[in-house]
Amino acid sequence: MVQSYLRHGPTQAFGLICSSTSNSLYDGKLAYVPALEDVLVWDMKKGQMLSMWHETGHRSEVTCMCRSPQENIFAVGYADGSVRLWNSAFVSVIATFNGHQKSVTALAFDAQGTRLASGSQDTDIILWDVVAEAGLYRLRGHRNQITAIQFLSEPERPSTSTGSRSHMLLTTSKDTFMKLWDTSTQHCVQTIVAHRSEVSSLDIDPEKNFIFTGSGEGEVKAWKIDHESLSQGLVENEAGEVAKMIHPVTSLPLSSRHRVSQILFHPSQPYLAVQSHDRSIEVFRVRTEEEIRKKQARRKKRAKEKGKNKKTGKDIGDAVEDAMDVDQEINIIDLFTPYLVVRASAKVRSFDFGCKEAVSKSGVQLFVALSSNALEVYNIPPPTKSKEETPEATRMFSVDLPGHRTDVRTLCLSADDQVLASASNGSLKLWNLKTTACIRTIDCGYAICSTFLPGDRHIAIGTKSGEILIYDLASSALTDTVKAHSSTVWSLHVRPDEQVLVSGSADKEVKFWEFERNVSHNDEVKKSMTLNHTRTLKMSDEVLFVRYSPNGKLLAVALLDSTVKIFYQDTLKFFLSLYGHKLPVLAMDISDDSKLIVTCSADKNVKIWGLDFGDCHKSIFAHEESVMQVLFERKSHYFWTVGKDKMLKYWDGDKFENIQKLDGHHSEIWALVVSNHAKFVVTGSHDKSIRVWEKLDEPLFLEEERERELEQIYEDGIANALNRPDMSINNNEADAQPSGEVAAVAKQTSETLMAGERIMEALDLADAERTAFLEYESKVAQAGSLEAAGMQPPPRNPILAAYDLEPEAYVLRVVEKISSAALHDALLVLPFDKVISLMRYLDLWAQKGWNISLVSRILFFLLKIHHHQIVTNRVMRTALIPLRVHLRKSLRREKDAIGYNLVALQHLRRRTEAERTAQFYEEEDFDEEKVRAKIAEGKKRKRVSIKA
């Protein structure tokens, strides 16, 4: 009989406030921050996590985020090149866009929020239609990673203007270039060598007059936008040169010369923030022209007074006055004055101002996401008239308790599996595993190992400095500091009889400590625990790990010389030496029956040994990198391993088989702990997250698991092969040539391949059904009336009978179920004979007026892709002529309906305006112009949304 195991699955991830893979967003109250593959929403004032944007099965990290002008819509870019549109109100994905081959690095919405531009490490820029949920086109021209994207629209025109607003797209890249693209002609209209090194950041001022770019060398440059040239487009001047639309102006002096990682204007207040240092953000105040004129007048007055004090007073004064008159022209550099520096508590990953509405009398809020897994909000005070007071930013809110500042180095569980302790460099945290809430946070040194002491009221921490720290969990207090070793304490373990603690250190000593419980004889009984040193075992090399056998007879010690020495724990007499690893053993564990010992090493291998003779049962190449921890599951020979290759693996120690591979962490896994009741496993990683993997009721068979892994590799291989530039499916089209500036948006994934297969299956099924009925009808027509009455129609296909659909309706149902973003890629998979078959169904749908917008979209895409074959194929002519007639008829009908509705809406608007005008005219003694002005003012006021 085939042995079955129980599957484990990821259930919870906690300990993460924000990760440093992406930028963060802030709206004055809520912060939207990346947390590896998820997005977390934090209420900064309360310090609570409100929601988590998680898509089941998606494992790629968040690399970029952008807010849409439309309410509650966010675009999130991921490391696998996908972009997802999230609705924050319903915490759901609206659409998924696949087009980039590498991680998304920049996102931008246009002013209406109907188009989205994405830039990636693959150097391409893709424009997406948010409404149609489809890729419009791909722009190529940059030679390195895209660092920033902005839509460049003209300043607001008066509402009476009917001219279309031309949209330009501004992009910067690590190739030192800034490019301006015309989205109407889909071409680059200006390329500027912006900096000598990579262009790392970009922003445009709210008035759309200036562009600011930051470089990797710490330089910020200002550029002026020529709106006249923008509106005219590419026009030659008298000298025969094309007029430039962006002109260099000046450089902005910064206090540091580090990489400018972010530049940001406040949407409504006169502030500009620049981050060019790890821990600080420089804030500049944008002065008005009136302020600058006053300052120039004061400067002129002082210079005049100085001139008059000298011997040739009058002449110098006149000369200075003339010079000042010449210098009345305001430079852009005068507009920006250094205001204050915000100094954060750790390295800044990104920052954001609140939205336009989030401005109070006390100042402007600046939200900062730190690389140390923490969030902060600072208040920037408004400028004061007094010169003595220098403005200082004050920290208003911070979120740092629900996570560690540094890597989680060690984990341990209480005996009842209720409380988890995690320790890092600087802090020890206790977590309730049911709610994943942080119960306690205690300061500690650089923790390396930890263990709960008998009774679960105390916890012992081994530190890098050689001390053993004992904490009382009820009072969150450090009760004892034991100077145990002269070097790092690598391992701690409590003997199964709970009487002795053993510690192993890099000072080549193994020390044994007995527990002493001190009971105070006051009214309240208080128990405190201390350690009493009893024995020392000196070793030949540094001790990396110590472990008692569950039967309490043996002690295993792993040394830096790659061997494991086993001693009798009572007499400390040498018993066995296990050698075979090529690099030091980093961890080990002994099974509950004390028959097997499993060791894991930096040589990427796991070895299983018998404890009776010390023979190696099996050596397994377990991970791609060093294996960091190994633990047996209780009362079994199954064991778990974690490694620097980010994987958690489950093994059968008797059959030496890998049962399951679990990937979820995005960095090296340092710590592992297994439930005392074998219900779950907890891992802690360099990515600062703690993940729980629970045992499910679902059975797992090894053969099926291997088949599933091979299928996944095969599907990924096909998709990757189809996405290679030289293996484009539509290779007969000019768009497939990567040398062009514009290309089609296409990327094959396993989802699009499956969708293409579903369309083919539906076409086969419908064609077979229609052929069978056509044959039946022809036989009936040829036969006599008596024979025809006796002939039975062919049985319907079970699927069509179940859905009670005609063949053409079934094909439409299948096509409609494919997501709009994946439709084009699914159609690319179809072979040409299936395209001809689909054309017949398109004709039927157009004839019946079913989903005309979808029919038109599919038809135009197929005609564009297969143009050469369709032109040369005479058979297609008979299908295309009736299709043209039917489609035109249906489109005309749709056009009439839309036109009728538009006219009706315009009529309703005019009627409403007329009623309001009459109402105002009756109430107030105004003339018509004043009334219209008041109505317009009322409209503007209504648009302002006040948030609580």
Side-chain angles (χ1 to χ4, degrees), residues 850-865:
W850 291 348
N851 203 337
I852 296 301
S853 60
L854 181 67
V855 171
S856 307
R857 190 178 159 199
I858 293 171
L859 178 64
F860 298 143
F861 182 73
L862 291 175
L863 288 174
K864 189 173 79 170
I865 294 298

Side-chain angles (χ1 to χ4, degrees), residues 898-912:
I898 290 167
Y900 181 85
N901 290 333
L902 275 173
V903 170
L905 287 169
Q906 286 167 1
H907 169 70
L908 285 171
R909 188 179 70 183
R910 280 197 301 270
R911 202 172 84 181
T912 309

Side-chain angles (χ1 to χ4, degrees), residues 351-510:
F351 64 89
D352 193 16
F353 287 113
C355 55
K356 289 182 183 178
E357 292 83 9
V359 179
S360 61
K361 289 180 181 177
S362 59
V364 169
Q365 291 184 14
L366 181 72
F367 165 79
V368 180
L370 305 176
S371 295
S372 64
N373 197 26
L375 307 172
E376 294 178 338
V377 174
Y378 289 87
N379 183 57
I380 299 170
T384 54
K385 290 184 178 178
S386 62
K387 290 183 181 179
E388 288 82 25
E389 291 180 24
T390 54
E392 277 191 11
T394 52
R395 189 164 71 182
M396 294 171 68
F397 315 118
S398 68
V399 178
D400 55 5
L401 284 179
H404 286 280
R405 303 286 75 75
T406 52
D407 299 5
V408 178
R409 293 308 299 245
T410 173
L411 295 169
C412 57
L413 269 170
S414 60
D416 58 1
D417 287 344
Q418 296 290 316
V419 180
L420 174 77
S422 64
S424 66
N425 179 10
S427 66
L428 163 68
K429 289 183 182 286
L430 298 180
W431 308 85
N432 180 336
L433 269 180
K434 275 190 178 177
T435 62
T436 67
C438 183
I439 311 167
R440 298 269 192 280
T441 298
I442 310 166
D443 290 338
C444 73
Y446 197 134
I448 298 293
C449 52
S450 62
T451 181
F452 272 93
L453 298 183
D456 287 344
R457 292 174 176 271
H458 299 81
I459 193 167
I461 301 284
T463 66
K464 198 172 184 179
S465 57
E467 296 171 337
I468 297 176
L469 310 175
I470 296 179
Y471 292 92
D472 183 345
L473 301 185
S475 62
S476 303
L478 175 66
T479 58
D480 197 9
T481 302
V482 182
K483 304 277 186 193
H485 295 272
S486 58
S487 190
T488 307
V489 179
W490 284 115
S491 182
L492 294 171
H493 196 224
V494 178
R495 201 166 73 190
D497 63 2
E498 299 186 344
Q499 298 300 314
V500 174
L501 175 76
V502 62
S503 62
S505 165
D507 63 3
K508 305 182 183 178
E509 289 184 343
V510 177

Side-chain angles (χ1 to χ4, degrees), residues 279-293:
R279 285 170 173 259
S280 61
I281 299 161
E282 287 183 64
V283 179
F284 293 84
R285 195 167 68 83
V286 186
R287 295 190 292 192
T288 59
E289 286 192 24
E290 190 183 344
E291 286 180 74
I292 295 165
R293 297 273 183 218

Side-chain angles (χ1 to χ4, degrees), residues 521-537:
H521 300 286
N522 299 345
D523 295 339
E524 292 181 10
V525 177
K526 290 183 180 177
K527 288 185 180 181
S528 65
M529 190 173 280
T530 57
L531 298 181
N532 185 19
H533 180 221
T534 55
R535 290 191 293 180
T536 302
L537 176 64

Side-chain angles (χ1 to χ4, degrees), residues 96-97 131-135 816-825 857:
T96 303
F97 299 134
V131 179
E133 296 181 9
E816 280 178 335
K817 279 193 173 180
I818 297 167
S819 68
S820 185
L823 181 60
H824 283 182
D825 292 320
R857 190 178 159 199

